[in-house]
Amino acid sequence: MRRSAIRASAWVLMMGAAAAGSAQETAQGLPNIVIVYADDLGYGDLSSYNPNSAYETPHLDRMASEGVRFTDAHSSSTICSPSRYSLYSGQQVCRTGRGSRAFEGPGGPSYLTPDTLTIAQMVQRKGYRTGVFGKWHVGLTWYDEAGERLGGGFENSLLIDYGRSTPLVDGPNARGFDVSFVTPNCPTTDPLYCYIENGMVPVPASERHDPGRLPNADGKWRWDNDKGWMAPGYRFIDADLLFFRRTVAFIEEHRNENPEQPFFAVLSTQISHAPVLPAKEFEGKSGAGARGDFVVELDALMGRLLKKLDELGIDEDTLVLFHSDNGPETLHTIWMREDHGHDAAGGFRGMKRDGWEGGHRVPLIARWPGRIPAGRVTRQLANTTDLVATVASLVGFDLPDEVAVDSFDLLPAMLGTRSDEEPIRPYMLTQSFRGEFQIRVGQWKYLAHMGSGGNGYDKGPLKAFALPETAPEATGQLFDLARDPGETTNLFFENEARRKELQALLEALTAKGGRTAPLGRVPLGMDRILRRK
């Protein structure tokens, strides 16, 4: 084990031992924190980001008008599992030494190893009670009856020995969450279809799921609902209503039992991942088809969450963060453009899996009444990895240099104490479907690969969106996003000096033991965050 990993592991152990004794002392005066993490929601999927949206998202628009909206925020990866690793760890998936993949079946083990300090463990150390609800999808360890670890694959679900596998050694409760109600993979796409509650599986997956029993609006929106093994009574159509109710129950129960202790909750939604299965009450609500209804459902749940915080009298004591794990799904993007004139990618090139902007530029909104100035819009560069350092800064947690190595503190951008002319991030990494890298430095973006890095644009429905290659002999792509936000003109040869500069920087940042975050990060702390009238 590397020396840095040993130090990080020791820090995690020390943190766990000290948490119980210091909880009440450290938690005093700290805000509640709720992260709502959407799935496959593109930059153009909210009406606050897209004036030409085919539907309205009034609750998320209100959240933006009462807080801060980031216009240059990015997921760390263009697929879900690596982005979720980044949300919890503050690191790019390349730091795991493993490939970039989305888990299915009993796939694992977790990207979050025992020596990874998670955002949940961090806030636990500061006295928070923690909960996570919805999609987990960072890998899990499952065993068969012989005690052998199972690999992915839908059929392997039948080989799980639940007695040997639970409590899960790398589930949410082993990674800093006091309470959890999650699904192992995509809740309605990738079997195994079962619920995991506090590390246990109340009902094993024992029935074969038949996609044909689910609705299929316009004969296509059920796409990507895979056959596989499910638990009896498993719910597909109202998955997010279930996750939302569990989140609210956690908040209400905690407020009733421990009103002086802050809470940290993650609601990881299924919306707007395939298949598109809006709950019954939202059918036809958007005027923009099934996927429009789906996003309107997510917006409504955000409205209900904000209302609940107000009813409980904790609205001004709660930071709410809204973010997405990657850009919009390919066929969803195409069908919404064709059927409803709606561009889920917000005018950017690319979609989910792609290294172009449409694959990873996503919404990021933060709301904290009385602390974050209302109506802020910032151009500061931001990444999913940054939520760890931002929360650490807020709660006064000193991040060791060896953890969250790709995480920058965005609090100054949220609070309006740092101008957009003073970049918080000097550079940013993202990774596409195959794990290939993209790097941003100011207006410049370099992709260390040709093509999308994810989807194929040479045939099928995506061929209509292929752009001519302006530097066919190049081995990578260089774009000036200030002049060319659509990434149409590859400057690989034209600006050789800039390209070599970014190539060298990328090599240094991604080397073994590399990092992008600064050393010696100092938290801001609540005593320096003014309450605004």
Side-chain angles (χ1 to χ4, degrees), residues 356 434 436 447-453 469 471-477 490 492:
W356 297 314
R434 294 188 290 267
E436 294 168 312
L447 298 84
H449 56 86
M450 290 298 286
S452 74
E469 176 52 64
E473 303 303 316
T475 57
Q477 300 167 79
N490 186 358
F492 185 92

Side-chain angles (χ1 to χ4, degrees), residues 114 301 358:
L301 294 182

